[in-house]
Amino acid sequence: MKITKAIKFNSPVVLSFVLICIGAFLLNLLTGGYTNSLLFTVYRGSLTDPLFYVRLLGHVFGHAGWEHLSGNMMYILLLGPMLEEKHGGRNMVVIIFLTAITTGLVNVIFFNYGLLGASGVVFAFIILSSITSVKEGGIPLTFILVAVIYIGGQIVEGLTVQDNVSNLTHIIGGMVGACCGMALNKKQ
């Protein structure tokens, strides 16, 4: 069997997202950081600037460095295919879109710094994965533990650690994942 026939493009939305992130990262390297500020970092700007809207969505594709990119992509590649198989590609696009728009808007409205990276999407996937098997009338203990550990940890870090990590983006991503998970579970 040829290796090209053995390899399957098993999760089109997740794999496309990862490939776009890698492409954005390489483009940023080739332009000496220009494309991150032009297309892949959301910050306050004029509502009449069409690129403001591109950045509002595109910030989830840009990453500050290899460590930032690889850390986010590992989580997305671990969790994403399972979620895409369970909820479908269209729902995954909606979740990524809602996470990007929500985290971008919160950053623009309440803060005055540039935001880039897929960590909001990662946290949406983490929380969504913990509630994929919710049954009517019950809350899984795994969901509670994940929420306490990840979201609680982000609150503590946000209050005690001075770094360039947007802990609020992680929390908002987790909230988007929880809301989407609850909505998707009601449909089933």
Side-chain angles (χ1 to χ4, degrees):
M1 178 186 300
K2 289 185 176 182
I3 193 160
T4 56
K5 289 185 179 184
I7 296 174
K8 304 287 184 210
F9 199 72
N10 64 316
S11 186
V13 171
V14 169
L15 290 169
S16 296
F17 182 83
V18 169
L19 290 173
I20 292 168
C21 289
I22 292 169
F25 178 74
L26 294 174
L27 188 59
N28 190 58
L29 287 178
L30 290 172
T31 62
Y34 181 70
T35 54
N36 263 4
S37 62
L38 182 67
L39 303 172
F40 304 119
T41 302
V42 67
Y43 47 85
R44 285 187 191 161
S46 171
L47 298 178
T48 61
D49 178 7
L51 289 179
F52 172 80
Y53 301 98
V54 171
R55 289 187 293 268
L56 196 58
L57 178 62
H59 72 94
V60 296
F61 301 121
H63 288 82
W66 174 250
E67 231 177 79
H68 188 210
L69 174 72
S70 63
N72 282 338
M73 294 308 103
M74 289 308 296
Y75 276 107
I76 287 170
L77 288 168
L78 285 169
L79 299 170
M82 169 196 65
L83 294 171
E84 189 170 340
E85 184 177 324
K86 166 95 173 146
H87 298 297
R90 182 173 289 154
N91 286 324
M92 296 308 294
V93 168
V94 169
I95 291 165
I96 292 168
F97 177 81
L98 287 174
T99 303
I101 295 298
T102 306
T103 57
L105 284 173
V106 167
N107 186 70
V108 166
I109 292 168
F110 296 108
F111 303 100
N112 193 20
Y113 60 83
L115 176 69
L116 78 158
S119 58
V121 175
V122 167
F123 273 79
F125 282 16
I126 288 170
I127 297 297
L128 180 61
S129 70
S130 71
I131 56 176
T132 56
S133 61
V134 170
K135 302 290 187 242
E136 190 68 34
I139 299 173
L141 180 57
T142 54
F143 170 72
I144 295 168
L145 290 173
V146 167
V148 167
I149 292 168
Y150 277 98
I151 304 298
Q154 291 306 303
I155 292 169
V156 169
E157 283 183 25
L159 296 172
T160 61
V161 178
Q162 294 292 326
D163 58 15
N164 288 330
V165 175
S166 176
N167 301 94
L168 185 59
T169 298
H170 299 168
I171 294 167
I172 292 168
M175 290 168 49
V176 170
C179 291
C180 290
M182 295 299 182
L184 289 169
N185 283 328
K186 284 185 181 181
K187 287 182 180 180
Q188 298 173 2

